[in-house]
């Protein structure tokens, strides 16, 4: 039996006496992925230009249209998630292939700047969703379950920028999950009873609205980087590679945590995550 974990001034939470070193290392990896800098910081580092300034320069009407495109893309993703996410064969995630596909769509979309967002976004979002499902399967999830399908969707709500002064644990991953939990439960119950027969059902609209609200922040950052057509044509592939890589990281961290929660319980995992 492993020794209880030691945090600071003493032994805490002996329920984790049986947590293996491998699982603890996995949880550390998950936290590093989930609490890392947001997409804007990654794009700024790669392009050598602060994305935040570009976002601030986007007209309000453009930002509004981007958020509408994000919501439409998320509704399409819901449809794809419920109807088909492929077979449930457990195998290593094909993340690199999905990155190539997303980079290609990004290069095409980037060539046309902001005008292409409503066309390109549903394509890249669908590619990312399949990559997220691929990662979920590699972590032992059954993608035929409604719970797993919705867990794949909620990955798009993870990883939007936080204020650096915020407490990472409280304002980050677990806080986002807590904020989404009610809508996820309602949507899960509705889909279990009626399927996707009515996409305008309040339970589904609420879930899509919550996810797209957070997803739209990241999409706006991406769109700002592609706002200039010439620059977008050159950088579109790189930006979309960072875009899908960002959500692949969120997915890997998310499904590692879910896997550990099934072994040790949700609350114990959350407490140890907070102490790492």
């Amino acid at each position: 039996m492993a020794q209880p974990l030691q945090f600071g001034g003493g032994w805490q939470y002996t329920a984790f006496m049986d947590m293996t070193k491998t699982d603890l290392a996995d949880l550390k990896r998950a936290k590093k992925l989930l609490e890392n800098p947001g997409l804007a910081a990654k794009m700024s580092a790669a392009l050598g230009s602060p994305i935040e300034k570009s976002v601030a320069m986007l007209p309000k009407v453009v930002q509004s249209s981007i958020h509408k495109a994000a919501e439409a893309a998320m509704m399409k993703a819901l449809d794809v998630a419920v109807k088909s996410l492929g077979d449930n064969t457990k195998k290593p995630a094909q993340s690199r292939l999905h990155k190539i596909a997303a980079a290609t769509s990004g290069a095409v979309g980037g060539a046309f700047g902001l005008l292409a967002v409503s066309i390109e976004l549903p394509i890249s979002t669908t590619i990312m969703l399949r990559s997220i499902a691929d990662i979920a399967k590699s972590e032992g999830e059954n993608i035929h379950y409604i719970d797993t399908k919705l867990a794949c969707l909620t990955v798009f709500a993870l990883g939007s920028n936080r204020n650096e002064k915020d407490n990472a644990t409280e304002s980050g991953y677990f806080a986002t999950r807590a904020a989404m939990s009610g809508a996820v439960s309602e949507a899960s119950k509705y889909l279990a009873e009626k399927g996707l027969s009515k996409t305008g059902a309040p339970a589904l609209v609420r879930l899509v609205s919550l996810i797209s609200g957070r997803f739209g922040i990241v999409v706006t950052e991406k769109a700002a980087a592609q706002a200039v057509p010439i620059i977008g044509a050159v950088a579109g592939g790189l930006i979309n590679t960072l875009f899908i890589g960002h959500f692949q990281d969120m997915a890997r961290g998310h499904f590692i945590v879910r896997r550990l929660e099934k072994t040790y319980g949700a609350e114990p995992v959350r407490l140890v995550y907070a102490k790492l």
Side-chain angles (χ1 to χ4, degrees):
M1 179 178 292
Q3 292 297 314
L5 302 181
Q6 186 174 19
F7 302 124
W11 302 109
Q12 296 183 16
Y13 220 84
T14 55
F16 267 80
M17 289 178 66
D18 293 325
M19 192 176 205
T20 67
K21 290 183 178 179
T22 298
D23 286 343
L24 180 58
D26 284 346
L27 189 58
K28 287 181 179 178
R29 180 192 176 198
K31 182 166 185 176
K32 183 177 180 180
L33 291 171
L34 292 165
E35 307 296 348
N36 255 358
L39 180 65
K42 295 173 183 175
M43 289 192 298
S44 295
L47 302 176
S49 176
I51 300 301
E52 290 84 353
K53 292 183 179 180
S54 299
V55 172
M57 292 175 64
L58 288 178
K60 294 295 183 183
V61 65
V62 173
Q63 294 188 39
S64 178
S65 67
I66 291 172
H67 279 265
K68 288 180 181 178
E71 187 165 352
M74 202 48 53
M75 188 59 77
K76 173 64 177 176
L78 174 65
D79 183 63
V80 172
V82 174
K83 291 183 177 178
S84 173
L85 275 179
D87 65 61
N88 199 50
T89 304
K90 184 178 179 180
K91 53 188 177 183
Q94 302 295 310
S95 298
R96 188 168 179 271
L97 293 177
H98 288 117
K99 279 185 178 177
I100 292 172
T104 302
S105 71
V108 174
F112 296 94
L114 293 174
L115 295 175
V117 171
S118 62
I119 299 172
E120 185 267 330
L121 187 58
I123 297 172
S124 59
T125 301
T126 299
I127 293 170
M128 288 193 295
L129 178 62
R130 294 203 177 275
S131 181
I132 289 167
D134 209 20
I135 291 169
K137 286 189 293 183
S138 73
E139 291 293 338
E141 298 271 355
N142 187 327
I143 61 168
H144 293 158
Y145 293 165
I146 290 175
D147 173 66
T148 303
K149 293 173 186 285
L150 294 183
C152 288
L153 274 183
T154 57
V155 168
F156 289 107
L158 304 174
S160 59
N161 280 347
R162 296 184 303 272
N163 186 315
E164 290 183 1
K165 295 180 181 178
D166 291 340
N167 178 281
T169 302
E170 294 305 318
S171 64
Y173 172 66
F174 279 101
T176 299
R177 281 183 63 180
M180 301 285 300
S181 61
V184 170
S185 296
E186 290 177 11
S188 179
K189 182 179 179 180
Y190 176 87
L191 290 170
E193 294 175 354
K194 301 182 180 180
L196 201 64
S197 57
K198 295 182 180 179
T199 56
L204 301 182
V205 170
R206 180 175 176 233
L207 178 62
V208 167
S209 178
L210 284 174
I211 296 174
S212 62
R214 293 173 180 269
F215 181 52
I217 295 172
V218 184
V219 175
T220 301
E221 294 165 350
K222 172 181 177 290
Q226 295 175 304
V228 181
I230 295 177
I231 295 177
V234 175
L238 171 61
I239 291 168
N240 252 35
T241 300
L242 293 171
F243 189 53
I244 188 172
H246 178 69
F247 286 104
Q248 285 175 336
D249 286 347
M250 295 300 104
R252 179 63 67 187
H254 181 46
F255 288 108
I256 286 175
V257 171
R258 280 173 56 90
R259 169 167 57 79
L260 296 177
E261 286 176 341
K262 291 172 185 176
T263 301
Y264 300 102
E267 185 63 9
V269 170
R270 186 188 69 79
L271 290 172
V272 172
Y273 182 101
K275 293 292 184 179
L276 289 175

